Amino acid sequence: QNICFTAATTLDWIPGLSSPSQLLLELRLSSLPTSPGYSITRQSDFPPLSSEPRFLSVTGVVLSATLPSEYTQSACFHCPVEGCSGRGSHYVRLHVAGSSEAATVRPSVHCHICSSPLTEDLSLRTIAHKMVVNVVPSHSLRNSLSTPSHRHQATPIIIRGELCEGVRVGGEYSVIGVPVHTLNESSSRAFVYTRLESLSLSLNAACSYSPWAFSATLAYSFAAEVVPPGAYHRLKLALLLSLASSSTPSPLHLLTVATDTTPLPALLLYGSSLASRSTQLSSTSDLWGSNRSEGGEVVMEGGALVLASGGVCVVGDTSRLKKDKLHRLQHSLEGRQVRLGVEGGARGVVTKTCPLSCSVWAFSPTQPSKALVDSVGVAVFCDPPTSGGADFLSELTTQHLLERARGSATPPPLSHSHLQLLLSVVSGVQVSLSQSCQSLLKSFYLASRRLRSSGLHSCDMPLNSLDVMSGLAEAHARLSLREEAGEEDGVMAILLYEESLTCRYGNSVLHLVPSPHFTDTNLSAYLGRQFDEKMKILHKHILQFSHSPSTLSLQPEE
């Protein structure tokens, strides 16, 4: 304060400045030392109130927040006595962190010359906004299969001024402040850096002969503790692609359709444990959030969709949702927004909008509605198309259960911890669509839409098909640790999306037969070089179909 006063008087920045106490300095730190004494992970880490105050750092997720309210930032007083020498002077009272509103505008302010009560000049009062947010540790929203669930106490934090505009429910922030009764002041983004294990790199190098082998191998070893390798192969691949896109601005949502839904909850739970953050819909939680009144303030609590930002929200069985909730979920998925309407007291109903920045996973035992499937984007049908496939799936499941019971099951190539570390690195890969991949997807979309809407096929191409296939191509390139999505990634995206349309409508423009599970023990047909040859043949068929005269001459695109 003295240094700033000397500089201001020497350079004549502020006319009439006569004392250092006339300067208000606000200190905002951007970082603190990484030693344990400067960070707080739970309530017991707070120092006792009798200790000397110092800066501390708290990193966590905003669980709930109040609506912005006004408070007095500063008030100006003057002496009303005519003969007092201090009559022409102004006394300014500023809000101090941890103090109440009455401490700033209290009437018991006296002149330091005549000791008369001062009168406030209401025209000079400064009003600002504040909000109270409750923060929980980031790891409390991370699903773990090895440790039991714990209860975490939220830390209340007061955010003031322009910082209120950048805070949203479900966001992750690092807060630096001085503990008084709560923490206050600034927020900044928290980043975590990880490294990739040599085992994942060696597996990626071993699959370098094919652009599709690495993702297929990961899907084969995915959730081997839950379902046998080879079973639900397409669903496992879709789960990995959704996990790879969960931290992007346009995450992939997933809807699984199967008559037998017994293994699906465990499979989705295993997949959500690999995400950086995950939430689940239960009887005691809500998808969108709720509001309550606390101390005269309206507190808005985030639901499962908001708190899973950057991760996965497991909705579960959609057939158990009421019609109005299912309709609201469809609107949230279509608009990629979560709207919260809360009672704001005298302000009426206040609508808050949060971006839907998580992957939503759900399953259905029956054929879902067209509106639901179109809003989700990626639908995986797990019922085997033939009786032979169903028999082989039953044989795989029985053998897997016997091996697990005897303890003779073969461990997967990548363990749960390796997959979790791999996906943490994958989520940080920045991917762009190459020009050739965009051309392939667009030409297939236009040709397929012309053919399906021409009357030869009794179905329509969903309007968001191109966006979904582009997202699948980017996720496949990201999962394969590539920074540019090429035509090979577009071929995989078209394969997954065309199989989904075939299961929905019963016909395929590429004459594909869906294969949600392995139908034999020939791994080369699903993972090895034989699978690579099949994908190359499919690539040629896609190019022939997209540029075929029979599809180009049907009708012009509107």
Side-chain angles (χ1 to χ4, degrees):
Q1 192 177 39
N2 290 329
I3 293 174
C4 293
F5 172 75
T6 303
T9 53
T10 303
L11 300 176
D12 197 19
W13 284 346
I14 306 176
L17 186 63
S18 59
S19 172
S21 61
Q22 293 178 281
L23 292 177
L24 172 63
L25 302 181
E26 186 175 4
L27 182 61
R28 293 186 179 181
L29 302 181
S30 59
S31 62
L32 285 177
T34 56
S35 59
Y38 287 93
S39 61
I40 294 176
T41 57
R42 53 185 181 272
Q43 287 281 342
S44 58
D45 294 338
F46 277 95
L49 295 178
S50 58
S51 62
E52 183 179 356
R54 58 187 176 90
F55 284 99
L56 296 174
S57 174
V58 176
T59 299
V61 179
V62 177
L63 186 66
S64 63
T66 64
L67 295 177
S69 59
E70 294 182 346
Y71 77 101
T72 303
Q73 192 178 34
S74 65
C76 186
F77 298 82
H78 65 271
C79 183
V81 179
E82 291 288 344
C84 180
S85 59
R87 177 177 172 78
S89 302
H90 289 277
Y91 300 87
V92 180
R93 291 191 61 82
L94 299 172
H95 177 269
V96 180
S99 62
S100 61
E101 177 79 4
T104 307
V105 296
R106 60 187 176 89
S108 58
V109 182
H110 297 82
C111 177
H112 68 281
I113 295 178
C114 65
S115 299
S116 299
L118 298 179
T119 303
E120 181 187 357
D121 189 350
L122 296 179
S123 64
L124 299 179
R125 179 181 290 190
T126 303
I127 303 297
H129 290 87
K130 69 173 182 178
M131 60 189 303
V132 181
V133 299
N134 290 302
V135 175
V136 294
S138 303
H139 61 81
S140 64
L141 294 175
R142 187 174 299 120
N143 184 13
S144 177
L145 298 178
S146 57
T147 58
S149 59
H150 295 81
R151 290 185 176 273
H152 299 271
Q153 184 177 356
T155 302
I157 300 174
I158 300 178
I159 307 295
R160 301 182 184 275
E162 70 278 3
L163 297 176
C164 297
E165 301 176 0
V167 177
R168 63 178 179 85
V169 178
E172 184 177 1
Y173 303 94
S174 180
V175 184
I176 297 176
V178 179
V180 183
H181 294 289
T182 59
L183 293 177
N184 76 311
E185 306 305 292
S186 129
S187 64
S188 60
R189 186 72 183 179
F191 296 92
V192 179
Y193 298 91
T194 58
R195 60 187 181 88
L196 189 59
E197 292 285 350
S198 58
L199 179 60
S200 304
L201 294 176
S202 61
L203 180 61
N204 188 26
C207 299
S208 59
Y209 67 91
S210 170
W212 305 285
F214 184 62
S215 59
T217 305
L218 290 178
Y220 180 75
S221 60
F222 180 83
E225 302 91 337
V226 181
V227 293
Y232 299 93
H233 185 70
R234 285 288 186 266
L235 174 58
K236 294 177 182 179
L237 179 58
L239 289 173
L240 286 171
L241 296 179
S242 181
L243 286 170
S245 68
S246 59
S247 59
T248 62
S250 300
L252 292 173
H253 310 302
L254 184 63
L255 176 64
T256 307
V257 182
T259 305
D260 182 15
T261 61
T262 304
L264 294 184
L267 193 56
L268 298 185
L269 179 63
Y270 181 93
S272 64
S273 67
L274 298 170
S276 59
R277 194 191 299 181
S278 63
T279 58
Q280 288 181 272
L281 177 64
S282 63
S283 58
T284 59
S285 63
D286 187 76
L287 280 176
W288 298 273
S290 59
N291 62 87
R292 55 184 170 82
S293 179
E294 183 178 301
E297 295 283 350
V298 178
V299 181
M300 180 177 59
E301 296 183 348
L305 291 175
V306 179
L307 298 180
S309 177
V312 173
C313 175
V314 181
V315 176
D317 192 351
T318 58
S319 62
R320 297 184 178 181
L321 294 178
K322 294 183 179 179
K323 187 177 181 180
D324 57 336
K325 290 188 175 181
L326 191 61
H327 186 67
R328 188 178 177 185
L329 177 61
Q330 293 175 12
H331 277 281
S332 298
L333 293 173
E334 291 172 355
R336 296 186 179 275
Q337 289 181 340
V338 180
R339 294 186 178 274
L340 302 175
V342 299
E343 284 290 337
R347 290 172 288 181
V349 178
V350 180
T351 302
K352 298 286 289 185
T353 301
C354 300
L356 180 60
S357 53
C358 69
S359 298
V360 179
W361 293 353
F363 63 87
S364 175
T366 59
Q367 182 71 21
S369 64
K370 181 180 182 298
L372 177 60
V373 178
D374 290 347
S375 62
V376 171
V378 181
V380 180
F381 294 79
C382 296
D383 290 339
T386 62
S387 59
D391 294 339
F392 186 77
L393 176 62
S394 177
E395 181 182 346
L396 271 180
T397 306
T398 303
Q399 183 180 358
H400 179 258
L401 292 175
L402 291 176
E403 290 178 351
R404 291 291 301 275
R406 293 196 301 259
S408 59
T410 304
L414 288 178
S415 63
H416 181 274
S417 59
H418 286 143
L419 277 174
Q420 192 171 29
L421 186 57
L422 172 64
L423 289 171
S424 66
V425 176
V426 163
S427 61
V429 178
Q430 301 296 325
V431 177
S432 60
L433 282 176
S434 65
Q435 194 67 32
S436 59
C437 182
Q438 294 182 26
S439 177
L440 178 69
L441 295 176
K442 186 175 181 180
S443 58
F444 172 77
Y445 166 73
L446 293 176
S448 180
R449 186 177 178 184
R450 289 190 185 102
L451 184 60
R452 293 180 185 275
S453 60
S454 64
L456 301 178
H457 296 74
S458 58
C459 62
D460 294 326
M461 195 76 169
L463 297 178
N464 62 343
S465 301
L466 186 58
D467 294 333
V468 174
M469 289 188 292
S470 299
L472 287 171
E474 288 184 4
H476 187 264
R478 187 177 291 108
L479 185 62
S480 303
L481 302 177
R482 291 191 290 266
E483 295 183 352
E484 186 179 53
E487 288 191 33
E488 298 82 4
D489 302 299
V491 171
M492 178 58 75
I494 292 174
L495 171 64
L496 294 175
Y497 198 75
E498 182 62 23
E499 283 190 353
S500 175
L501 291 179
T502 303
C503 292
R504 291 175 63 182
Y505 300 116
N507 49 61
S508 171
V509 296
L510 297 176
H511 307 288
L512 292 176
V513 178
S515 55
H517 317 276
F518 286 9
T519 57
D520 51 49
T521 57
N522 184 15
L523 294 182
S524 179
Y526 303 96
L527 307 177
R529 298 188 181 276
Q530 189 176 346
F531 172 69
D532 187 61
E533 291 298 325
K534 288 182 178 179
M535 295 298 290
K536 291 179 180 178
I537 295 174
L538 177 61
H539 189 187
K540 294 180 181 179
H541 287 172
I542 293 174
L543 293 176
Q544 293 173 0
F545 168 76
S546 302
H547 300 90
S548 173
S550 60
T551 57
L552 294 176
S553 61
L554 285 174
Q555 59 183 15
E557 190 70 18
E558 294 182 1

